[in-house]
């Protein structure tokens, strides 16, 4: 099982590293698309499929990929499907391949393959990509979310709570908050989300809820909390920025500056 999981992580880790950001900025959601491929790889390994069958499974799975960043922008529940459907379709693809169903063997890098269709056609030879996978260990880079929101916000939330505790900052003393993150979706700057999913991708909301409740668990993403007056007022004071220095760094770095009404500033990154 661990070997199978490792194979899947190697594939999706490298593809995500190479193309994930471009996908997010152009519209296709990388989780929804790329994990179809890794799910097919994992299922193929578990089913002991041979090389040709595995290629068929990847081809079949690639033909079923879907998922739009628009779901984040609108806060729709379809975002919830982006983890489950790829797993389901990957397993189905491997089972079909086992029974002799075939698929395109160049579904990812082909002239009309997934990368070309998604508008991120690669100039990197597939052999180079495969060789670079061998020197990586993506399974060791897996992280678990501490907060029930977009992963890109976590560093900022950590810094926010540290500054609050360190300087005993109160809600009434805050003049403004400026938070810098990697740019993923326009939904990040919206201060008043209407849905739970939208709230999880709204940095002003997440910062405000975390500051007021000293945590950001699933309980802070309820319809009742979305209507909280204090959260709404503080959200208006949050400015989201996308500094260039953060865009070129690995992972999801963040920086935050809290300005008090007496013009004292506290910054952490």
């Amino acid at each position: 099982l661990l070997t199978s999981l490792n194979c899947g992580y190697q594939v999706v880790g490298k593809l995500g590293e190479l193309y994930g950001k471009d996908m997010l900025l152009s519209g296709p959601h990388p989780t929804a698309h790329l994990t179809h491929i890794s799910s097919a790889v994992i299922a193929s390994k578990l089913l002991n499929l041979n090389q040709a069958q595995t290629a068929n499974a990847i081809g079949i799975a690639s033909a079923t990929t879907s998922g739009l960043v628009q779901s984040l922008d609108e806060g729709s529940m379809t975002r919830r499907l982006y983890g489950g459907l790829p797993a389901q379709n990957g397993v189905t693809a491997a089972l079909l391949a086992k029974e002799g169903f075939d698929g395109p063997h160049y579904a990812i890098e082909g002239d009309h393959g997934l990368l070309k269709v998604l508008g991120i056609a690669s100039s990197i030879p597939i052999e180079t990509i495969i060789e670079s996978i061998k020197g990586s260990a993506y399974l060791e880079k897996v992280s678990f979310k501490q907060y029930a929101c977009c992963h890109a916000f976590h560093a900022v939330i950590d810094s926010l709570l540290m500054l609050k505790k360190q300087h005993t900052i109160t809600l009434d003393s805050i003049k403004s908050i400026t938070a810098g993150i990697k740019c993923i979706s326009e939904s990040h700057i919206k201060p008043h989300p209407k849905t739970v999913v939208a709230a999880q991708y709204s940095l002003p909301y997440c910062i405000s809820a975390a500051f007021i409740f000293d945590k950001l668990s699933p309980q802070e993403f309820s319809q009742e909390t979305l209507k909280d007056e204090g959260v709404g007022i503080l959200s208006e004071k949050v400015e989201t920025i996308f500094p260039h220095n953060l865009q070129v760094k690995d992972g999801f770095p963040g920086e935050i500056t809290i300005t008090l009404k007496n013009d004292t500033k506290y910054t952490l990154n």
Side-chain angles (χ1 to χ4, degrees):
L1 177 60
L2 286 177
T3 299
S4 301
L5 287 172
N6 185 59
C7 290
Y9 272 102
Q10 290 298 94
V11 171
V12 77
K14 175 53 67 174
L15 291 175
E17 184 177 79
L18 291 173
Y19 311 118
K21 182 179 179 180
D22 289 339
M23 292 176 69
L24 281 168
L25 295 178
S26 62
H29 196 285
T31 300
H33 288 275
L34 300 182
T35 53
H36 272 81
I37 299 167
S38 59
S39 296
V41 170
I42 293 169
S44 296
K45 183 67 175 177
L46 287 172
L47 291 171
N48 294 314
L49 301 191
N50 60 34
Q51 183 174 339
Q53 290 173 316
T54 300
N56 283 329
I58 292 173
I60 297 167
S62 296
T64 66
T65 66
S66 61
L68 305 173
V69 175
Q70 188 66 28
S71 295
L72 279 62
D73 294 343
E74 297 185 24
S76 72
M77 294 180 71
T78 50
R79 174 60 184 88
R80 305 294 191 221
L81 299 175
Y82 294 174
L85 282 181
Q88 173 182 293
N89 291 340
V91 170
T92 299
L95 290 172
L96 286 170
K98 182 180 180 181
E99 298 302 320
F101 201 96
D102 68 2
H105 282 204
Y106 299 94
I108 300 173
E109 77 279 15
D111 290 340
H112 299 92
L114 187 61
L115 295 180
K116 182 66 71 66
V117 169
L118 296 177
I120 51 171
S122 175
S123 59
I124 306 173
I126 191 67
E127 294 79 12
T128 302
I129 296 175
I130 293 173
E131 191 62 30
S132 67
I133 290 177
K134 298 178 182 179
S136 306
Y138 290 99
L139 189 59
E140 297 178 359
K141 300 179 181 180
V142 174
S143 60
F144 295 90
K145 288 187 175 182
Q146 182 175 350
Y147 309 112
C149 64
C150 178
H151 202 164
F153 301 170
H154 286 219
V156 168
I157 301 301
D158 280 340
S159 297
L160 171 81
L161 296 178
M162 290 174 64
L163 288 176
K164 178 185 178 182
K165 181 178 181 180
Q166 182 179 353
H167 301 287
T168 318
I169 301 173
T170 63
L171 179 62
D172 292 339
S173 68
I174 296 175
K175 179 180 181 180
S176 65
I177 297 176
T178 302
I181 59 169
K182 274 190 173 181
C183 180
I184 294 179
S185 167
E186 291 183 1
S187 62
H188 290 342
I189 65 176
K190 298 177 181 179
H192 300 297
K194 303 299 183 183
T195 70
V196 170
V197 175
Q200 292 176 306
Y201 288 92
S202 164
L203 185 55
Y205 175 88
C206 289
I207 284 177
S208 301
F211 186 92
I212 290 174
F213 300 107
D214 288 314
K215 57 178 182 171
L216 207 54
S217 68
Q219 286 70 35
E220 281 65 66
F221 293 96
S222 65
Q223 288 297 331
E224 181 180 353
T225 309
L226 261 62
K227 300 174 184 177
D228 185 270
E229 183 177 0
V231 171
I233 292 174
L234 184 55
S235 293
E236 288 289 341
K237 299 180 180 180
V238 177
E239 178 187 11
T240 302
I241 59 174
F242 306 109
H244 174 72
N245 66 302
L246 298 185
Q247 311 310 310
V248 297
K249 290 185 177 180
D250 292 334
F252 295 101
E255 59 187 36
I256 191 167
T257 296
I258 301 176
T259 303
L260 305 186
K261 292 178 179 178
N262 62 7
D263 289 330
T264 300
K265 292 187 176 183
Y266 299 111
T267 298
L268 193 60
N269 52 36

